[in-house]
Amino acid sequence: MKTSQSLILTGNHVLEGHILYWTGKGWDQQFAHALVSDDAESLEARLREYEACNLVTGCYLIAVARDEYGHWQPVKMRERARLRGPSIDYHNPTSMNAESINVSL
Amino acid sequence: MYRYDEFDYSFVKKRVQQFRTQVERRLSGALSEDEFKPLRLMNGVYLQLHAYMLRIAIPYGLFSSAQMRTLAMIADRYDRGYGHITTRQNIQFNWPKLAEIPDLLDDLAESGMHAIQTSGNCIRNVTCDPWAGAAADEVFDPRPIAEILRQWSSLHPEFVFLPRKFKIALSGAKQDRAAVYLHDLGIYMVQDKEGNPGCQIVIGGGQGRTPMIAKTLDEFIPQHALLARLEAVMRVYNRYGRRDNKYKARIKILVHELGLEAFRKEVDQEFARIDVAACWLNKEEEARINSYFAPPDLVPLPEPKWDEDHDTKPGFQQWLSHNTHPHKVAGYRVVTISLKATGAIPGDIHSQQMRALADLADRFALGEIRATHTQNLVLAHVKARDLAELWQELAASGLASANHGLIGDLICCPGLDYCGLATARSIPLAQQISRRFGDPARQKLIGEMAIKISGCINACGHHHVGHIGILGLEKSGQESYQITLGGHAGHDASIGERTGPGFAGGEVVDAIERVIDRYLELRKGSDEPFLQTYRRLGKEPFQQALYQPQA
C-alpha cells in the first residue's frame, strides 16, 4: 500500500552489529544507497523476511524527507543521531570535543 | 574480596558454553531474533543505537587489579580500547561483535567475571557503598550480605521472570553513598539496642518516569532472617506486580498503589509461611563468606605531615582535600579516582588507564579497586604517606582530577550518542559543563555540587536526585533539556523539582551558570552547600535566575 510518507528499511548486521540499509537488492552500510519508497507494505514484507533470517536484526522502517539540498534525511532526531554515529570523540581519553552539543541533529 | 569457588567457576563456564551454542544457532539461522533476543539479554548483550553493547557485572562494585587487566585486554581485543563505568557500578563495552562475545565471556569467566543478570526482568547486580570495609563512618561492612544476596539472587528459580527488573543497594555507613533510597529495595546495615547486627529494609524507591523515595518496610530485621524476608517481598511482588503495563510494573508502583501498610501485611503473611532458619546459611558457609571480607591487616600509622614546600605541587592539596577520605585505620585513606577530567566523557576509562590503575592498586591498595555509582573508581586502603606518590602516578595517566563531589564530578548516561532509548544527547552537555566550570579554584569556591544528566525519562543518569538535574528530551525534532533543582540521593533523599520550560542544547550551560551565580550570592557563608541553600530558600530565586530575561 502506498503512503504519503517516504520510508527506508534499516536494521543491524547480526554478526558485526553495525547499521545496514535496504537498497532494494540487498543490504548496504551506506545510507545514500538506501531504497526510498512510499510502499510501506512491500518494505514491511522485506522486514518480516529478514527478521526471520540470520543476516540482519532489529529491522524497522524510518521516515525520511528531502533536506534543503534535496538529499534524503531521517525525519526523527533519533534516526539522524543513529545515522551520524556518536557525536563525541570517544577515542580520546580526555576528550575536549565539548562544542558538539551545538551541532544540530 | 570474594573469589569464585569451584561451583561458581564451573557454573559460569557452562553458561558461556551454552551461550556459545546459542550464538552459533543464531548465526546458522536455527534461532530467529525473537527466539535469540531473550537469551542474549540474559547474558548482558544489548542491541544499542549503533551496535551491540555488553554490560559486565561488577558485583557490588568490587574487583581486583587482575580483573581490571582482563577488562583492559577485552577493551583492546574485542572493543575499541575503552570501557564505560555505569551508574550501577557495572562496566559496559559499546562495540563488541556478536560472533566474538562467547570468546570474550570465556576470557571474563577465567578472571572470575560474567555478564549474567545485567539485563532482563530479574534481580540485577547488587550495588553497595564503594567505601565498604574502609570508611571511617562505617557501622557494619555490607559486603558479606551483598555477596550472600548475589549468590541468593543468581538464577533464583522463582525470581528470574519478575514483572520487571529489580535493583538492590546496601549501605552500612552513616553517610549513604549507594543511593539506597532510590532502589526497588534498599538495605541499611544497622544494630538493635543490644548491638545485634540486622537490616533496615526500605522498599519501593526508584527513578524513571515515576521517581519515588523508598519507604521503610522494616526498621530492623535480624541478619539471619534477611533472606526469608526478601523471599517474602519478592513473592508478593511476583504475585501482584503489574505485568500488563511495563510502565507500572516496578515494585514502587505496587507499593504506592497498595499502600505501605497493605503491602507490609502481604509480606508478613508470606513471611509467616516461610521457614526462616532454612533460608539462611549454615554457620560454616556464613563464616566462609565473611572470611573473604575480613578487614585487611593494616598496622596503624602516624599521619604524615604534609610539607608545604615538597607536597604542595599544583593540584595536590586540592586532590588531597576532595578525593581522599578518612579510613577506619589511622594513617590510611580511601581514595576516589575521578573519571571526570575536564571535558572528558564521564565514566569512560581507556585500556592504558585501566592497566595503569591496576598497577597502582597493586602498589598502593592491596590490589583492590571499586566502581562507584557516580562513575568513578576507588582505591580503598591507601597509606596516607603514599598519597603524594600515588597522586603523581595518577596524574601521569590523566586520573588525578581533584573534583570528587564538586561541580566537575557530574554523572550522565550514554544518551543519544549510544543508547537506543535516548531522546537527547547527554555526554556532550556533560563535557561542556565540565569545561565551563573547569577552573579548580572556581570548583572549590562553589563547593559540594551534584549535577546529573539523563538523556531520557528512564533516568539512568539519576537526574531526579541531582542537586541540579538535567533531563534531555526531543521537542519538535530538536533536543530540549528540562532542569530540576534540589534533588539528593543520601539518607535525606529528595526528588528534584521541575523549574519550567526546557532549554535548547546551546542554552543549558549558561542557564546552569546563572543558577550557580545566584547560589553564590545567596549562600550563608562559604560553607553552606548548594543543597542547604536551596532547601532554606526554595525554588523561586533559582527559578528566577534560570528564566530571567536574557540581554
Side-chain angles (χ1 to χ4, degrees):
Chain A
M1 191 180 74
K2 303 245 176 194
T3 64
S4 57
Q5 184 79 73
S6 298
L7 298 165
I8 278 175
L9 174 58
T10 185
N12 290 70
H13 195 280
V14 169
L15 201 60
E16 304 279 327
H18 57 65
I19 297 167
L20 291 171
Y21 300 97
W22 173 247
T23 66
K25 292 177 183 163
W27 294 88
D28 196 297
Q29 291 188 58
Q30 296 294 315
F31 176 80
H33 298 165
L35 170 73
V36 179
S37 169
D38 55 6
D39 186 351
E41 203 168 285
S42 165
L43 286 179
E44 276 166 8
R46 288 283 176 214
L47 184 156
R48 285 190 293 276
E49 183 185 327
Y50 278 97
E51 273 293 292
C53 82
N54 59 348
L55 178 66
V56 189
T57 187
C59 296
Y60 60 101
L61 303 183
I62 56 174
V64 293
R66 289 194 188 278
D67 65 13
E68 61 201 281
Y69 307 106
H71 300 137
W72 291 107
Q73 295 291 345
V75 173
K76 290 199 167 171
M77 199 174 70
R78 177 189 188 278
E79 300 310 324
R80 295 198 295 275
R82 183 168 177 265
L83 172 62
R84 291 186 186 187
S87 65
I88 49 178
D89 181 11
Y90 56 79
H91 292 290
N92 184 348
T94 52
S95 175
M96 301 301 274
N97 183 23
E99 302 312 315
S100 55
I101 193 72
N102 294 324
V103 176
S104 170
L105 284 174
Chain B
M1 62 181 282
Y2 184 77
R3 285 186 181 81
Y4 274 15
D5 60 16
E6 199 49 43
F7 173 83
D8 295 314
Y9 182 77
S10 65
F11 167 74
V12 172
K13 291 294 273 188
K14 272 184 202 159
R15 183 65 178 260
V16 175
Q17 187 51 35
Q18 273 178 4
F19 188 60
R20 185 181 295 281
T21 61
Q22 287 158 356
V23 170
E24 283 167 6
R25 284 152 67 207
R26 174 71 183 109
L27 298 181
S28 74
L31 285 179
S32 71
E33 183 60 17
D34 282 349
E35 291 164 324
F36 179 66
K37 187 176 175 183
L39 301 173
R40 70 167 159 79
L41 287 174
M42 280 177 204
N43 291 284
V45 184
Y46 289 72
L47 183 62
Q48 290 282 59
L49 200 58
H50 310 292
Y52 290 108
M53 178 271 281
L54 179 70
R55 182 179 297 153
I56 294 165
I58 303 176
Y60 33 95
L62 177 61
F63 56 131
S64 68
S65 54
Q67 289 172 327
M68 183 63 120
R69 288 189 190 94
T70 298
L71 292 170
M73 178 274 288
I74 283 170
D76 288 337
R77 184 178 295 173
Y78 301 103
D79 210 85
R80 296 191 183 177
Y82 70 103
H84 176 74
I85 303 293
T86 77
T87 53
R88 291 208 78 253
Q89 297 178 300
N90 290 319
I91 186 163
Q92 291 180 181
F93 289 102
N94 286 307
W95 308 97
K97 293 172 178 161
L98 182 63
E100 294 179 354
I101 290 177
D103 287 344
L104 189 169
L105 292 176
D106 245 339
D107 288 340
L108 261 189
E110 289 294 335
S111 193
M113 301 182 89
H114 62 73
I116 298 166
Q117 290 186 204
T118 57
S119 174
N121 294 337
C122 53
I123 299 173
R124 300 288 187 88
N125 185 33
V126 172
T127 57
C128 115
D129 182 353
W131 299 0
D137 71 340
E138 186 169 86
V139 181
F140 286 111
D141 183 349
R143 292 173 304 165
I145 295 293
E147 173 54 28
I148 289 168
L149 293 185
R150 185 193 71 80
Q151 296 192 18
W152 165 78
S153 63
S154 294
L155 269 70
H156 190 305
E158 269 188 78
F159 309 134
V160 286
F161 290 104
L162 295 168
R164 198 79 177 86
K165 58 188 166 185
F166 198 91
K167 299 176 182 176
I168 299 176
L170 295 97
S171 167
K174 288 181 182 147
Q175 192 192 343
D176 176 358
R177 290 175 284 264
V180 170
Y181 273 103
L182 282 308
H183 281 74
D184 293 288
L185 188 143
I187 296 173
Y188 287 110
M189 308 295 295
V190 291
Q191 53 189 347
D192 65 9
K193 284 174 191 163
E194 285 77 46
N196 300 309
C199 304
Q200 179 194 351
I201 300 178
V202 299
I203 191 80
Q207 300 195 57
R209 64 186 61 225
T210 319
M212 288 187 187
I213 292 167
K215 302 162 185 74
T216 298
L217 176 70
D218 299 297
E219 290 288 354
F220 185 85
I221 289 287
Q223 233 174 63
H224 70 272
L226 179 66
L227 289 184
R229 193 66 178 168
L230 295 193
E231 294 253 342
V233 169
M234 298 310 295
R235 284 181 185 172
V236 170
Y237 174 49
N238 222 357
R239 190 181 310 146
Y240 297 117
R242 302 248 322 241
R243 291 173 188 269
D244 61 320
N245 185 338
K246 180 180 173 181
Y247 302 116
K248 295 188 174 179
R250 296 290 286 269
I251 198 171
K252 63 188 172 186
I253 304 295
L254 177 66
V255 173
H256 180 71
E257 287 184 349
L258 269 182
L260 181 63
E261 286 311 311
F263 180 82
R264 185 183 290 124
K265 199 172 156 192
E266 292 286 346
V267 173
D268 287 345
Q269 283 174 3
E270 189 60 44
F271 185 66
R273 283 195 278 268
I274 296 176
D275 181 347
V276 173
C279 276
W280 195 243
L281 300 70
N282 63 41
K283 283 207 165 62
E284 293 73 29
E285 182 61 3
E286 193 177 353
R288 187 183 75 87
I289 289 178
N290 275 320
S291 70
Y292 288 114
F293 303 98
D297 196 13
L298 302 179
V299 179
L301 296 167
E303 284 291 307
K305 288 199 174 103
W306 306 110
D307 185 324
E308 289 291 321
D309 293 329
H310 294 95
D311 295 328
T312 55
K313 297 175 183 73
F316 176 67
Q317 287 296 336
Q318 182 150 340
W319 181 81
L320 191 65
S321 159
H322 295 293
N323 290 46
T324 76
H325 291 86
H327 194 283
K328 287 178 182 196
V329 180
Y332 292 80
R333 291 282 197 290
V334 179
V335 173
T336 297
I337 315 292
S338 168
L339 298 181
K340 320 288 172 59
T342 302
I345 298 168
D348 272 17
I349 178 164
H350 287 252
S351 57
Q352 69 270 32
Q353 292 175 313
M354 293 184 199
R355 290 191 184 90
L357 195 55
D359 291 347
L360 294 176
D362 283 341
R363 268 175 69 192
F364 296 108
L366 310 176
E368 227 187 68
I369 303 164
R370 290 102 182 278
T372 80
H373 83 273
T374 55
Q375 301 176 295
N376 291 318
L377 296 169
V378 165
L379 300 179
H381 311 288
V382 180
K383 290 183 181 117
R385 68 184 182 203
D386 289 342
L387 287 171
E389 195 182 347
L390 172 63
W391 174 77
Q392 278 191 318
E393 297 281 1
L394 288 169
S397 293
L399 291 167
S401 296
N403 58 11
H404 174 61
L406 301 180
I407 194 167
D409 188 13
L410 30 73
I411 73 175
C412 83
C413 70
L416 198 50
D417 283 301
Y418 293 106
C419 177
L421 301 174
T423 44
R425 288 172 295 172
S426 52
I427 294 170
L429 191 53
Q431 292 176 299
Q432 204 173 44
I433 294 170
S434 165
R435 277 171 63 82
R436 178 69 63 92
F437 295 97
D439 175 11
R442 194 177 184 198
Q443 294 204 36
K444 190 177 171 187
L445 175 75
I446 296 165
E448 194 182 320
M449 168 57 67
I451 296 183
K452 301 179 194 268
I453 310 172
S454 303
C456 84
I457 193 67
N458 293 309
C460 295
H462 294 194
H463 68 276
H464 292 300
V465 290
H467 298 168
I468 298 176
I470 302 172
L471 166 62
L473 297 167
E474 178 177 2
K475 194 176 172 188
S476 307
Q478 299 296 323
E479 289 163 308
S480 174
Y481 295 88
Q482 279 180 7
I483 293 178
T484 52
L485 298 173
H488 180 53
H491 278 288
D492 52 344
S494 53
I495 303 293
E497 298 176 275
R498 252 191 82 180
T499 51
F503 293 86
E507 300 171 342
V508 178
V509 184
D510 288 341
I512 301 294
E513 193 164 36
R514 292 197 294 278
V515 170
I516 297 297
D517 288 345
R518 182 61 55 90
Y519 154 65
L520 293 175
E521 287 164 26
L522 295 174
R523 68 180 176 185
K524 270 188 183 171
S526 60
D527 58 350
E528 185 182 55
F530 173 84
L531 189 65
Q532 203 174 322
T533 306
Y534 181 84
R535 287 178 172 175
R536 178 168 59 80
L537 296 173
K539 180 168 69 171
E540 200 185 338
F542 302 100
Q543 197 171 27
Q544 281 174 0
L546 274 173
Y547 295 101
Q548 70 190 28
Q550 299 305 295

